[in-house]
Amino acid sequence: VPAQAIVGQFLGTFKEFLGDLDFDTAHPGAARANLTIDLTSIDAGSEDANTELLKPAWFDTERYPQATFESTRIKDFGKDRYLITGNLTLRGLTRKVDVPVLLKAEGGVGIFVGELTLKRNDFKIGEGEWADSFVSNEINIQFRMVAPQR
């Protein structure tokens, strides 16, 4: 399932990404997660929006074609709830983020469901003429990662 970002009333989906997850519920503190998102794979619902988001004011994919996340710590809150802390790099800027997730087991796979809110200004997304635009500074990111159980 693609990662999704909701911006105001706009919904965007990244179609191409690569994730690596090493997670054992018996030892969550030893877990690690990495994710690379191909920003050029954005689908914001229209060709015009897709083209605009690749430009320097937004993702600047010519210089920064990917966003990456690398976990630094995973905390177990019990009842299949975890907090994954890590470094998110977007547009050459790295910020620490906390990602609350719920782990569901379904049919031999583990499904991590999570949501976080980023501030686009923290990554200088939507600068210039768009700085005071109708696009919210807060970007809600929802994801669902499916991992086979061992």
Side-chain angles (χ1 to χ4, degrees):
V1 174
Q4 297 181 341
I6 300 173
V7 182
Q9 297 180 356
F10 300 99
L11 174 67
T13 302
F14 295 99
K15 296 185 251 178
E16 295 184 30
F17 53 92
L18 181 61
D20 180 32
L21 177 66
D22 184 3
F23 190 89
D24 180 349
T25 55
H27 306 285
R32 64 176 179 76
N34 297 299
L35 179 66
T36 300
I37 301 170
D38 178 354
L39 298 175
T40 66
S41 73
I42 184 92
D43 181 357
S46 77
E47 197 58 41
D48 288 342
N50 295 349
T51 300
E52 191 63 38
L53 288 170
L54 302 181
K55 292 181 179 179
W58 293 94
F59 289 131
D60 194 2
T61 58
E62 188 172 309
R63 290 175 49 195
Y64 310 105
Q66 299 176 329
T68 60
F69 173 81
E70 183 175 345
S71 67
T72 56
R73 180 176 51 134
I74 298 178
K75 184 173 182 181
D76 185 352
F77 285 115
K79 297 186 180 181
D80 298 321
R81 296 191 178 279
Y82 302 89
L83 182 68
I84 301 175
T85 299
N87 295 314
L88 176 65
T89 302
L90 182 57
R91 287 183 48 110
L93 299 170
T94 301
R95 304 286 184 257
K96 176 185 161 195
V97 295
D98 291 319
V99 185
V101 297
L102 172 65
L103 174 59
K104 301 177 181 182
E106 293 180 15
V109 297
I111 301 172
F112 289 85
V113 179
E115 183 173 342
L116 71 146
T117 301
L118 298 178
K119 294 188 186 228
R120 65 181 175 87
N121 290 342
D122 288 349
F123 295 94
K124 299 184 179 181
I125 297 172
E127 292 189 308
E129 67 183 278
W130 297 99
D132 295 323
S133 72
F134 60 92
V135 179
S136 171
N137 183 40
E138 294 188 347
I139 300 172
N140 184 296
I141 299 173
Q142 300 171 353
F143 65 90
R144 184 174 184 258
M145 179 183 269
V146 180
Q149 294 177 336
R150 294 187 239 181

